[in-house]
Amino acid sequence: MHARVTGTAQELAEFKRSQPPEERDSWFACSDPSGVGPRLYFQRVPEGKAAKNRLHLDVRVGTGLVGEERLAALEAECARLLPLGAVHMRTLYDGHDSCIPMMDIEGNEFCID
């Protein structure tokens, strides 16, 4: 995984990294500083993306929100991620629920949800 991709993932999750940058060659992990959330493990592979993602992350930022309030929270997170290299694919909104599919710098898809 490209260093900028892992940087985007790190910023996205606001998790702590398992290794300092100079030691991250082929893998590293991020964990929730509170110890409550999941551990995310990233491993560099030599091949590029050839098909649909094998893993798709939904990043929860609008938990408990609905309608315009939820959409505003998702759009704010989307705006925060764009300068980090994320790409906004589209915004899905039906007047009640919303989701924003995005891609990282290498084309891996994830959703702001």
Side-chain angles (χ1 to χ4, degrees):
M1 185 174 280
H2 189 275
R4 182 141 177 209
V5 174
T6 56
T8 301
Q10 171 72 30
E11 181 68 23
L12 180 68
E14 295 180 2
F15 281 12
K16 63 181 181 181
R17 296 178 182 188
S18 62
Q19 298 172 301
E22 63 278 2
E23 293 179 20
R24 279 184 239 127
D25 184 26
S26 63
W27 70 272
F28 80 92
C30 297
S31 58
D32 178 358
S34 71
V36 175
R39 178 176 174 259
L40 301 176
Y41 181 84
F42 297 88
Q43 184 171 359
R44 187 181 316 272
V45 295
E47 19 343 282
K49 180 179 172 184
K52 186 175 178 175
N53 291 0
R54 292 175 283 174
L55 173 70
H56 177 95
L57 297 176
D58 284 347
V59 180
R60 304 302 297 224
V61 297
T63 303
L65 304 176
V66 295
E68 294 291 326
E69 187 179 20
R70 177 180 171 81
L71 181 60
L74 273 56
E75 288 176 334
E77 183 66 5
C78 177
R80 187 180 77 83
L81 296 174
L82 291 173
L84 299 171
V87 175
H88 176 236
M89 295 170 58
R90 64 188 170 280
T91 298
L92 304 172
Y93 180 59
D94 66 6
H96 178 72
D97 201 10
S98 51
C99 177
I100 301 179
M102 301 185 77
M103 284 191 299
D104 67 23
I105 193 170
E106 290 185 344
N108 300 302
E109 300 168 9
F110 64 96
C111 288
I112 302 299
D113 184 12

